[in-house]
Amino acid sequence: MNIEKYDEIRASLPAGVRLIAVSKFKPAEDIALLYQHGHRAFGENHAQEMKAKHEQLPKDIEWHFIGHLQTNKIKYIAPYVALIHSIDSFSLLKEVNKYAVKNERTIPCLLQFHIADEESKFGFTLEECEGMLQSPEFQQLKNIAIHGVMGMATFTDDQEQVRREFHHLHQIFEELQSRYFLQNPDFKELSMGMTEDYPIAISEGSTLIRIGSAIFGPRNYSL
Ligand SMILES: *Cc1c(COP(=O)(O)O)cnc(C)c1O
């Protein structure tokens, strides 16, 4: 846990950019420490882990779901999740809407785009996404609110490639905004940038950066 690094990142953020502290694989105690330091927005990528932490920790924490979400896990996060960054299919969005109805709330969501040149990253293509946004079925989803887009750049040392990918995501954001969300002030978030690439993401227009290891240290995936 590196509070100085946290303070340094916070101090460097331009107005309009928020920091999501990615606490996946880290114990609730680490989250509690950063909470005591004044931080409220945390990101997790496993639904059950988020649920367990939500139960243990103060209720004014804003929980951001940032990982691939399986439909049978939505129930663990639907009652309280602040923002799902990782909507990567129409079928997932429809299921999230169902659980939002059950919980009598609206769930804010971001549409995840595949911008990296890696196979493993989930996300829409622009074509798939527009197909969804134009469908009457989409119009009927009353309990989700689309707040913007999210993406992950390729894991590479090539800074220019990372910049191009973030730039591309920003273009997608603007295209969708102008075609489908002009009347919708909620559509304003561009979630991009992690420990290794957040300065580039910010210079390409990010509004939400998701930082884990710079703050909490390296993760031990065997836990
Ligand atoms: C783990 C993760 C992060 C944070 O990664 P760091 O490199 O540790 O900052 C951000 N976004 C997503 C989607 C993640 O899964």
Side-chain angles (χ1 to χ4, degrees):
M1 178 74 157
N2 190 338
I3 294 277
E4 284 104 82
K5 185 69 188 174
Y6 168 83
D7 286 339
E8 190 190 309
I9 296 172
R10 279 293 303 270
S12 76
L13 297 185
V17 182
R18 292 184 66 211
L19 167 62
I20 312 303
V22 176
S23 46
K24 63 189 188 192
F25 295 97
K26 296 293 174 180
E29 292 75 44
D30 286 13
I31 299 175
L33 278 175
L34 203 56
Y35 179 88
Q36 282 153 25
H37 193 64
H39 195 76
R40 292 294 178 271
F42 293 89
E44 293 282 339
N45 69 346
H46 284 105
Q48 275 122 314
E49 185 177 341
M50 184 189 261
K51 176 176 191 278
K53 288 171 173 172
H54 169 258
E55 283 168 2
Q56 271 176 278
L57 287 157
K59 293 298 170 277
D60 62 339
I61 287 179
E62 217 182 87
W63 292 102
H64 291 249
F65 195 84
I66 62 170
H68 179 61
L69 182 58
Q70 291 168 274
T71 52
N72 61 345
K73 304 283 172 64
I74 300 168
K75 58 176 180 281
Y76 298 120
I77 67 169
Y80 58 87
V81 67
L83 181 64
I84 300 176
H85 291 231
S86 43
I87 298 295
D88 55 13
S89 71
F90 195 3
S91 56
L92 176 61
L93 189 66
K94 285 187 259 189
E95 285 298 312
V96 168
N97 185 70
K98 272 191 208 164
Y99 281 92
V101 171
K102 270 189 201 165
N103 285 278
E104 297 178 352
R105 61 177 297 226
T106 297
I107 298 183
C109 294
L110 303 181
L111 305 173
Q112 181 174 356
F113 281 86
H114 181 95
I115 53 168
D117 72 359
E118 289 161 2
E119 286 292 327
S120 64
K121 307 255 158 95
F122 292 100
F124 286 101
T125 63
L126 187 56
E127 198 182 357
E128 285 164 356
C129 184
E130 292 203 79
M132 172 177 86
L133 296 174
Q134 290 166 7
S135 75
E137 226 185 326
F138 174 79
Q139 303 302 329
Q140 284 158 17
L141 305 179
K142 299 296 184 203
N143 289 59
I144 49 97
I146 306 295
H147 282 202
V149 303
M150 178 270 215
M152 281 191 276
T154 304
F155 189 69
T156 171
D157 288 333
D158 183 346
Q159 310 263 300
E160 279 316 304
Q161 180 176 354
V162 170
R163 182 176 294 284
R164 277 196 304 275
E165 291 172 356
F166 286 149
H167 189 79
H168 181 209
L169 187 61
H170 195 159
Q171 286 178 320
I172 290 174
F173 171 84
E174 289 193 337
E175 260 172 64
L176 294 181
Q177 187 177 45
S178 67
R179 290 190 203 152
Y180 306 97
F181 296 100
L182 264 189
Q183 312 300 333
N184 184 347
D186 287 342
F187 191 87
K188 61 182 193 314
E189 305 290 3
L190 193 42
S191 171
M192 58 187 195
M194 310 173 27
T195 292
E196 295 302 326
D197 56 20
Y198 76 88
I200 303 177
I202 289 172
S203 72
E204 293 299 330
S206 177
T207 65
L208 291 172
I209 56 170
R210 311 175 309 268
I211 309 279
S213 37
I215 298 169
F216 293 108
R219 286 176 289 272
N220 181 354
Y221 287 105
S222 65
L223 282 178

